[in-house]
Amino acid sequence: MKKIKLALWGDNGHQIYKDLELHPEFELVVIGSIAESAERDLLKKYSEAKLENDYEKIIHDYGVEMISLCSEYRSEQADLAVRALDKGIHVYAEKPCALSEKDLDRIIASAAKSKGLFHEMAGTLWEEPYWSMRKIVQSGQIGEVVQVLAQKSYPYADWRPRNEKVDGGLVAQVGVHAVRFVEHVAEQKIKDIHCQTSTLGEVRKNSELKMAANFSGRLENGGLYSCIANYLHNPGMGNWGNEMLRIFGTKGMIESCDAGRRTRMIIGDKDFGDLDLSDEKPDFLDEFIKEICEGRKMLLSLEEELSPTRWMIRANFFQ
């Protein structure tokens, strides 16, 4: 099978070079704007790959068919994505793929015209227990969703960017997971959003890092949602992050706590205990590859995929 000629740009985020061995469909041809230690490791494993730190040359001179973007500054990423799409190159971009609605709409418009496909690294739904929770919602077991409560928490560290242009900041970088819980897992479209943030706990001078955020609003079906995001997670829990999702319906409730280590479903007066997570689930990047190679449609439309990013952009604007 013909391989997809892949370029990697930047490593500010979940760059996919650690997963390349799991995806033999790729042929790594060029890397750029990546830390020297990662460059050395990649060139040892993929000796035919080239090192190129001129983005224009990467998208024009190497026959690249797909590029994975984890840009040094997330504020530049939308422009990089559009330039690649305009060349017919598939783009896989770290979150948030854009920091303004104008740039988000530019990406969507460019993808609509391009032979290349675009996806944000938006695989939250494709992880357990969230994949199984969505199936339960779809089954109707908990009835109509009335309220969704979600949390995403990460640890604080000195390397957290002081400038939100680097990674999008707490709301767009971390909060987007919680909104994906609402829209992608609970399958509820958000109607409006209200956001508050706090820098309390950030001790570094000249830093705009938000330490905590909450955002809430109405759902299009008339229900409500509430989310929190913060950099207040403590590593003693044993997980890198602490996620929580509770979906309340007219017939019952499902929940996942402590990064998926505890799950539960209650219907009426019956406690079903832990969710059954034994069913096979697809991998988000695998699904993107199938879309490229086989023309298979992704589960979510691009508008649906990027809707949580859009709402986080709006939350940042209206806080």
Side-chain angles (χ1 to χ4, degrees):
M1 183 178 71
K2 180 179 178 294
K3 293 195 173 187
I4 302 167
K5 294 184 178 180
L6 177 69
L8 306 179
W9 180 262
D11 55 1
N12 176 21
H14 300 87
Q15 186 52 274
I16 63 173
Y17 54 71
K18 296 178 182 178
D19 296 326
L20 288 182
E21 292 178 355
L22 302 176
H23 298 283
E25 300 89 350
F26 290 129
E27 177 190 352
L28 182 60
V29 295
V30 58
I31 58 176
S33 191
I34 288 179
E36 289 185 9
S37 58
E39 285 177 357
R40 288 195 297 270
D41 291 342
L42 282 166
L43 293 175
K44 285 180 182 178
K45 287 184 179 180
Y46 307 98
S47 58
E48 295 183 1
K50 305 299 182 183
L51 181 61
E52 176 61 75
N53 289 317
D54 185 323
Y55 187 79
E56 282 300 307
K57 288 184 178 180
I58 285 179
I59 62 175
H60 284 88
D61 298 343
Y62 290 87
V64 168
E65 296 170 301
M66 177 174 171
I67 187 165
S68 175
L69 297 177
C70 289
S71 308
E72 181 180 2
Y73 289 94
R74 207 69 83 238
S75 56
E76 301 173 351
Q77 194 158 264
D79 185 62
L80 298 178
V82 168
R83 284 154 65 185
L85 287 167
D86 288 348
K87 287 287 294 179
I89 296 170
H90 307 298
V91 177
Y92 193 45
E94 174 62 297
K95 61 179 171 64
C97 60
L99 297 186
S100 71
E101 281 202 80
K102 180 180 178 181
D103 277 344
L104 193 64
D105 289 334
R106 284 179 62 213
I107 290 173
I108 293 171
S110 294
K113 296 183 296 183
S114 177
K115 292 181 180 179
L117 300 168
F118 177 87
H119 288 291
E120 194 175 56
M121 295 181 184
T124 304
L125 167 62
W126 282 257
E127 300 170 0
E128 288 290 16
Y130 308 113
W131 183 260
S132 293
M133 293 178 80
R134 175 185 168 102
K135 290 173 67 177
I136 291 171
V137 171
Q138 290 176 328
S139 74
Q141 293 179 77
I142 64 169
E144 183 176 11
V145 173
V146 177
Q147 191 165 35
V148 183
L149 178 64
Q151 167 190 311
K152 186 71 176 184
S153 179
Y154 283 134
Y156 175 81
D158 287 341
W159 49 259
R160 294 285 181 199
R162 303 182 189 207
N163 186 334
E164 292 191 345
K165 291 182 178 180
V166 175
D167 71 346
L170 175 68
V171 173
Q173 173 67 212
V174 179
V176 70
H177 285 288
V179 178
R180 288 176 185 166
F181 291 160
V182 176
E183 292 209 325
H184 295 171
V185 181
E187 292 198 303
Q188 300 304 309
K189 293 183 178 180
I190 289 174
K191 184 176 182 179
D192 56 35
I193 194 163
H194 307 277
C195 180
Q196 294 175 307
T197 60
S198 174
T199 58
L200 184 64
E202 167 58 300
V203 297
R204 297 174 299 176
K205 294 181 179 180
N206 303 315
S207 173
E208 61 185 35
L209 182 75
K210 308 296 193 303
M211 289 292 290
N214 58 55
F215 35 96
S216 60
R218 293 174 293 176
L219 302 170
E220 287 193 358
N221 74 343
L224 301 172
Y225 72 96
S226 301
C227 304
I228 68 169
N230 60 57
Y231 288 128
L232 300 169
H233 175 57
N234 292 289
M237 181 182 173
N239 292 78
W240 171 245
N242 187 356
E243 304 168 354
M244 182 274 291
L245 173 60
R246 289 190 174 98
I247 305 174
F248 298 88
T250 54
K251 296 179 181 178
M253 181 272 289
I254 50 175
E255 69 176 5
S256 168
C257 303
D258 297 342
R261 291 195 299 188
R262 295 189 294 115
T263 61
R264 194 177 188 187
M265 179 170 70
I266 297 174
I267 308 293
D269 60 359
K270 186 171 183 180
D271 185 346
F272 289 85
D274 290 338
L275 304 182
D276 180 0
L277 309 180
S278 61
D279 285 352
E280 289 189 17
K281 64 177 182 61
D283 174 83
F284 186 70
L285 183 53
D286 278 341
E287 294 300 295
F288 190 5
I289 293 169
K290 290 174 183 176
E291 187 181 21
I292 293 171
C293 297
E294 303 172 19
R296 294 193 192 183
K297 291 293 184 182
M298 294 286 278
L299 178 64
L300 304 176
S301 70
L302 188 56
E303 287 280 1
E304 291 170 330
E305 177 186 304
L306 296 179
S307 179
T309 297
R310 186 180 298 279
W311 281 112
M312 290 296 86
I313 290 170
R314 290 175 178 174
N316 261 331
F317 182 78
F318 288 117
Q319 65 181 284

